[in-house]
């Protein structure tokens, strides 16, 4: 399963201008509307592409990743912006060492397909989120592309929605 995890040595590909063209932080903010009184989680934070801009908008953010190297990169990048409201969490493959009912909102950006036991991870997500919290999932389209993970690692939008509904999440909306 580790072949699905993005290699930390290629982290700069996750924060370049080309990614901003495909995955706009501003558009995400327009959809998610983060506020200064919220506590967020960025699960699979990588080098902090979403974590750092979110930290400027929310009370606190938990930057969680399976890779210690990615967490170190995220932390180093956050120091450039003098951010002090980020908590760094090393995760397991399907465990999230975060207190129950803590997070208002959670972001999974291009990592849902990487979880080896999505049912168990979804239970963990439910546990760490407050009642009424929002889960934002951004993941790869299920089609062959010149970039991103191979097709066999991706999952269909329908499968993702079904899995989340089976884990007691309420589907609200989708965006392109």
């Amino acid at each position: 399963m580790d072949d699905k995890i993005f290699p930390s040595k290629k982290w700069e590909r996750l924060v370049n201008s080309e990614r901003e063209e495909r995955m706009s932080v501003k558009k995400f903010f327009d959809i998610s509307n983060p506020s200064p009184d919220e506590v967020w989680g960025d699960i699979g934070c990588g080098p902090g592409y979403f974590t750092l801009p979110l930290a400027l908008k929310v009370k606190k953010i938990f930057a969680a990743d399976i890779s210690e190297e990615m967490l170190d990169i995220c932390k180093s990048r956050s120091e450039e912006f003098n951010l002090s409201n980020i908590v760094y969490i090393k995760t397991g493959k399907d465990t999230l060492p975060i207190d129950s009912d803590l997070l208002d909102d959670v972001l999974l950006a291009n990592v849902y397909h990487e979880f080896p036991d999505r049912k168990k991870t979804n239970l963990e997500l439910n546990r760490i989120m407050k009642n009424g919290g929002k889960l934002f999932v951004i993941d790869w389209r299920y089609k062959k592309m010149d970039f991103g993970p191979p097709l066999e690692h991706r999952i269909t939008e329908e499968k993702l929605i079904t899995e989340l509904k089976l884990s007691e999440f309420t589907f609200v909306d989708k965006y392109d």
Side-chain angles (χ1 to χ4, degrees):
M1 281 300 181
D2 286 349
D3 64 325
K4 290 185 180 181
I5 297 171
F6 191 86
S8 58
K9 66 184 176 200
K10 297 181 180 182
W11 73 270
E12 290 173 327
R13 291 175 53 191
L14 300 177
V15 294
N16 64 28
S17 59
E18 185 179 303
R19 187 173 191 200
E20 179 60 29
E21 289 176 27
R22 288 194 308 265
M23 190 180 308
S24 166
V25 172
K26 181 188 179 318
K27 183 173 181 177
F28 174 71
F29 285 167
D30 290 344
I31 292 166
S32 62
N33 195 28
S35 70
D37 59 332
E38 292 179 326
V39 178
W40 275 68
D42 184 359
I43 311 302
C45 67
Y49 179 76
F50 284 103
T51 304
L52 304 184
L54 272 167
L56 296 170
K57 294 198 170 272
V58 301
K59 181 165 117 180
K60 184 182 281 189
I61 183 161
F62 287 78
D65 206 288
I66 196 166
S67 165
E68 193 71 52
E69 294 85 6
M70 285 291 201
L71 288 171
D72 289 343
I73 292 164
C74 185
K75 187 173 187 176
S76 174
R77 293 184 67 236
S78 74
E79 290 168 358
E80 296 173 29
F81 298 96
N82 212 21
L83 298 170
S84 61
N85 62 336
I86 303 174
V87 178
Y88 301 92
I89 304 286
K90 171 92 167 67
T91 67
K93 289 186 185 225
D94 49 23
T95 57
L96 302 170
I98 298 172
D99 290 342
S100 298
D101 302 313
L102 181 66
L103 305 178
D104 294 295
D105 299 301
V106 172
L107 170 63
L108 305 174
N110 292 335
V111 296
Y112 189 81
H113 69 279
E114 293 181 359
F115 298 130
D117 186 343
R118 291 190 298 267
K119 185 175 181 180
K120 188 171 181 182
T121 300
N122 291 343
L123 289 171
E124 280 286 274
L125 290 167
N126 264 323
R127 182 188 62 75
I128 65 175
M129 292 177 67
K130 291 179 182 176
N131 190 23
K134 295 176 294 237
L135 175 66
F136 296 91
V137 180
I138 301 169
D139 218 317
W140 296 96
R141 292 181 189 184
Y142 189 75
K143 71 177 192 178
K144 191 170 174 106
M145 301 165 79
D146 293 335
F147 53 88
L151 186 62
E152 61 270 15
H153 289 190
R154 301 173 190 214
I155 62 170
T156 66
E157 184 178 292
E158 295 78 18
K159 182 174 177 118
L160 184 146
I161 291 169
T162 298
E163 288 180 4
L164 291 173
K165 283 181 177 180
L166 289 171
S167 298
E168 300 183 15
F169 285 95
T170 302
F171 178 73
V172 176
D173 212 341
K174 69 177 184 172
Y175 302 88
D176 187 24

